[in-house]
């Protein structure tokens, strides 16, 4: 950057101005606006789409190419059974409450939260602690990017005990079940915030979009809520593709879906979004990472569980090396990815002073997870979770394997064979067919899948009672077996191969959220004219790299413009020509809003000697050189990480007769 | 290519062998195979995913960058109303017939076609014209990539009249309505081909996946069947983004969905697929293209309507220039895109002897389309439509505009003002509110949207009867108006601006089908060992560009391998290291199946003098040079279009002591 941050922060950030620029320049827009729009759905226009494509390209190079990951592209349509096994059918839901009179639907936790917050603010106004309770609640709603549901607050003083109760409820608001929320609504008389009428008890609303696959309508399916399941289901094929070597990672970039109850405007909470996910499969007994030393000294702000529990939000700033060796971050591989996530985010334009890694609290984390950190970015809506990085242990492979009876394991040849003692079950298969007929395969599979604990228990039962009984899914009557059918014994064997279900470290990126954060972090207004704003994207991800500006519409300038266009096209450098009649200042100003890092001006001198002017977006500095020199500088800065100073040091500083102020 | 086509076609093509390679190397696999699979859904494994990404990248550069198109990324979830307007809710369907006994569902046109074909084959066997009717029908089913529904054919001679009737029906099979098909099934006693039981009358099955958006379940939506609608709906924003200049094109790359009644294995007919679509908006009065001269002389095989009607499939081979000037292809812009499509397909590995452009027959084409050509690729399943290129006139913008009452037009300043005579309607607005109350805006909008024809008719009615009446959607009672409310007059005015709805030329690519065709066109087996097959992808789109092969696991070779890896990674050249213990021939053989164009062998000489061997996949030729020289050659051939001969002419030919035969 050739401009210091002081200049960029002179004019206070205005979200309204940013949103106006993003809209005017068609970075994105509500989808189906012509038809009144559908909340939570957005289309990316040309600059937004190019920006997204560039970020995906950097992601692919930074993670997939650099680490030799196995990229897969799996379907979004997913049958019911898969998401039943993964737990999404049962647990991927929010609680909603309906107003039986108006038909309005509310998210139960949000409504409880807002009503209690509003009452507390009203209490504070009554006590003279805040001036305007309504304004305070509005501000809070803005922060959370929610529509304010409570329309009018009255300044009513509450009992001190009630204030305490409300505060306790609010502190625990994310942890309540639907039943809990229903009880709170009754207890505190929380209804429709406008009419006051009571709401129906909360019921679970699954956030997956449901559809039917095939013509019979009988195969229920969903649009995937994440890209991970496709990667898990292909584990065996990927392992084989990788010549059975571990650790390895798969990766996937694609759309996922979430049928939000009431999404608000903006890219932070949408119903269809682009994700990029990595599943790094590794040995549960060895979570070291061979390239950890490359990131060891990177300093990051961490917000671990203990700090949050103490009520503080001041991060611990330390190296990732220290964070891992102290045990704050569970293991090297998890730490390696946290550092790599940081490097990626900064390379695409995230302000590193507005980034932190927050550890999940015990109650936020799935029961099977070993550790989980969110990469959070600071925006005008507060800290937003943009990347998750979790150690999910062996959960996913285990559940799918158990459900489908397909092994998903790594077999490792042991250098020294080991002695293993365990329970084994032998079936007298010839007796199963006659006894169980068509159910025989089910019964056999059931028995062969018994866990060590179950085998131990049944060995004892069989010994004590001479028989054992089971209920087998899909088999009507109870299954009863005696010692003629099965033998269960504890045996000691020498094993030459170790077999294990790998653990998985899952870095998961919400690309749309990251994009929005980069918009905010890159946006500033010029102190000399606050109406002129700039999106200071790094050249590598900027939607268009070069604006080509002929000084006038004079025909003399056409050949040079054509020549420069041809070279840029040949070099695959995305550019736009602006030969509109408006002033050159206005044309540059428009492109500053589009985040175009470079301008090439073609004037009458250019027509004579093929020299052109190169302008840098942030500093508005200009230099002069031959077409080749200027394009070389653009290439170096954009694609090879060179600085403006370095790449233009041999070019001549230039002061335009057409100043920037000619806007 | 450094190997001639004779070598590649020595061993006859075997689809089984190709499919086995694609499966073993995990180019793609049935999705959810662990759960038994879902027909019509496929996952791309690492090489398939990389191949797809490379093809999309070439597409983006060839079309979007080269032509300065405006790329957008619109949502897949689409509300009902949008697809109702576009015609998809009513017309995007196939006819299905259910067997009420077994519950089986058949595509009605397929079942009629297959049963009649089977009877004709049985007749031919009875007449001694074919030997094995069953085998002949199986072959036909294979060609169409359908499961053979007719299990057993009896050799029964038919009346000559019946044979004629059957043949007529089969020739017209694509044109029948559901009712027609139902009548045919009754008339010819066509039922379940296995049991012979009658089927239910055909009913329309809409091929869109339906879902509900939002928690109330009341907003019906679909997964988009194409990417085009999002582009049409954003027309006004795109026009503004393009500084109101036309012609311009938008483009979109993304997944679309089609709930096929009974998709068959393979990538040709799937339920979720990647599309790339362009909408080129242009003046209906000027369909010339400024860059047409660049493609004018390209020679292509055309199968125009007349040739097909004559029953011939011999294409007319001529230049696109001639095709347009003779009127065979409707206009220059359509012709320009046909030529550009050809250049794209050939650059990614389509065999240009297996490509043709087939014009739609009059009954295939939508009523509004001006002209339409399919880019078809020849595969073992016959000619497959892989790209469509249609002139859709002003249909799409017109229907959305009419439905939403939003203008979607281009305003062109006229150099010479013109005199225009047309009907105009004036409303006495102050009378509308009192008379129609809340319906007033609806009535006004209705009147202002009347067409010239409607205005002319109503002007006469108003004059004759003193009043006119209308039924307005959303207004309960009939609207009656007299001359106090409206004036309708024919007026002549001078206009300085011409306003028109642009026409649209739509090139539309099915990426998955193209990928499958390139698989077939690139696949061959080495004559010296037919078990060794090769996928001869052009280096630009090959999933991996380089296989790095240390000759042995000796530690001496590690530093050079690391050094070459580092340089390849820095140069962003996708590569894989194969240091597995298997023979070098086996390693190359595996990568020939993956289509990896180059191999770099590292041997003990390399450890001494940093020289390495470069191997070319198709010819298996090897040359020797320094690491830098070899990587330079790879870069030139892969990314700069240079030939093997040109880029390796200064390197030393090399004969390995480890021959290819060491497999």
């Amino acid at each position: 950057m050739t401009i210091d941050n002081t200049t960029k922060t002179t004019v206070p950030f205005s979200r309204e101005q940013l949103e106006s620029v993003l809209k005017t320049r068609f970075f994105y827009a509500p989808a189906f606006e012509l038809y009144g729009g559908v909340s939570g759905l957005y289309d990316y226009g040309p600059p937004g789409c190019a920006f997204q494509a560039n970020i995906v390209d950097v992601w692919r190079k930074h993670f997939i190419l650099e680490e030799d990951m196995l990229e897969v592209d799996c379907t979004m349509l997913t049958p019911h059974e898969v998401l039943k096994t993964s737990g999404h059918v049962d647990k991927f839901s929010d609680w909603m409450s309906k107003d039986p009179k108006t038909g309005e639907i509310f998210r139960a936790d949000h409504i409880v939260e807002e009503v209690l917050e509003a009452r507390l603010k009203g209490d504070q106004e009554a006590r003279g602690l805040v001036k305007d309770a309504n304004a305070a609640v509005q501000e809070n709603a803005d922060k959370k990017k929610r529509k304010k549901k409570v329309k009018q607050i009255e300044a009513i003083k509450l009992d001190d005990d009630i204030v305490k109760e409300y505060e306790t409820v609010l502190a625990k608001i994310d942890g309540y079940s639907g039943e809990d929320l229903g009880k709170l609504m009754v207890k505190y008389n929380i209804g429709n915030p406008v009419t006051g009428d009571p709401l129906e008890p909360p019921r679970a609303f699954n956030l997956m979009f449901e559809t039917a696959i095939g013509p019979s309508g009988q195969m229920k399916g969903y649009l995937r809520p994440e890209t991970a399941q496709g990667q898990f289901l292909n584990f065996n094929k990927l392992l084989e593709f990788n010549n059975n070597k571990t650790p390895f990672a798969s990766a996937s970039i694609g759309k996922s879906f979430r049928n939000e109850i009431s999404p608000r405007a903006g890219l932070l909470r949408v119903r269809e979004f682009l994700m990029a996910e990595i599943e790094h499969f590794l040995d549960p007994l060895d979570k070291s990472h061979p390239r950890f030393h490359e990131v060891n000294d990177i300093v990051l702000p961490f917000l671990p569980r203990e700090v949050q529990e103490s009520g503080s939000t001041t991060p611990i700033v330390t190296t990732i090396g220290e964070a891992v060796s102290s045990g704050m971050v569970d293991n090297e591989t998890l730490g390696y990815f946290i550092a790599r996530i940081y490097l990626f985010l900064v390379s695409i334009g995230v302000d590193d002073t507005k980034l932190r890694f927050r550890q999940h609290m015990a109650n936020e984390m799935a029961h099977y997870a070993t550790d989980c950190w969110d990469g959070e970015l600071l925006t005008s809506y507060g800290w937003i979770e943009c990347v998750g990085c979790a150690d999910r242990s062996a959960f996913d492979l285990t559940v799918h394997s158990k459900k489908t009876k397909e092994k998903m394991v790594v077999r490792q040849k042991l250098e020294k064979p080991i002695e293993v003692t365990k329970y084994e079950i032998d079936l007298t298969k010839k007796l199963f067919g006659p006894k169980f007929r068509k159910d025989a395969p089910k019964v056999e599979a059931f028995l062969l899948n018994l866990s060590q604990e179950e085998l131990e228990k049944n060995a004892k039962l069989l010994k004590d009672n001479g028989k054992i009984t089971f209920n087998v899914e899909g088999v009507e009557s109870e299954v009863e077996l005696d010692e003629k059918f099965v033998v269960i014994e504890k045996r000691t064997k020498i094993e030459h191969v170790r077999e294990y279900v790998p653990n998985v470290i899952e870095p998961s990126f919400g690309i749309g959220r990251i994009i929005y954060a980069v918009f905010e972090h890159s946006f500033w207004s010029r102190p000399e004219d606050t109406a002129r704003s700039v999106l200071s994207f790094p050249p590598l991800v900027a939607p268009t790299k070069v604006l080509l500006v002929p000084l006038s519409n004079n025909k003399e300038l056409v050949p040079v413009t054509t020549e420069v266009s041809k070279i840029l096209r040949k070099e695959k450098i995305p550019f736009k020509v602006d030969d509109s009649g408006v002033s050159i200042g206005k044309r540059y100003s428009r492109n500053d809003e589009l985040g175009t890092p470079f301008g090439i001006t073609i004037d009458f001198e250019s027509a004579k000697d093929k020299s052109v002017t190169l302008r840098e977006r942030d500093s508005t500095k200009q230099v002069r050189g031959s077409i080749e020199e200027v394009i070389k500088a653009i290439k170096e800065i954009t694609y090879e990480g060179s600085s403006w100073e370095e790449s233009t040091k041999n070019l001549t500083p230039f002061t335009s007769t057409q100043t920037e102020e000619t806007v």
Side-chain angles (χ1 to χ4, degrees), chain A residues 521-535:
Chain A
H521 294 189
S522 306
F523 188 71
W524 57 287
S525 301
R526 298 206 189 272
E528 63 274 22
D529 179 358
T530 56
R532 289 176 59 196
S533 27
V534 186
L535 279 164

Side-chain angles (χ1 to χ4, degrees), chain A residues 55-106:
Chain A
I55 284 178
V56 166
D57 190 53
V58 173
W59 194 91
R60 197 173 255 137
K61 283 172 181 151
H62 183 86
F63 290 103
I64 299 183
L65 274 191
E66 181 68 26
E67 313 267 358
D68 219 358
M69 293 175 177
L70 307 180
E71 188 178 351
V72 293
D73 183 14
C74 305
T75 63
M76 299 169 197
L77 288 166
T78 309
H80 173 86
E81 223 185 337
V82 171
L83 293 161
K84 176 78 185 169
T85 306
S86 69
H88 287 88
V89 169
D90 296 324
K91 290 181 186 157
F92 192 68
S93 53
D94 283 336
W95 297 101
M96 68 173 188
S97 272
K98 192 172 165 181
D99 181 330
K101 279 198 189 160
T102 64
E104 264 177 295
I105 289 169
F106 299 94

Side-chain angles (χ1 to χ4, degrees), chain A residues 559-578:
Chain A
V560 191
T561 309
T562 309
E563 189 180 339
V564 179
S565 298
K566 267 199 181 151
I567 300 175
L568 287 169
R569 200 174 286 133
K570 185 167 169 291
E571 296 280 357
K572 314 272 187 212
I573 299 173
F575 72 101
K576 296 272 173 203
V577 179
D578 186 349

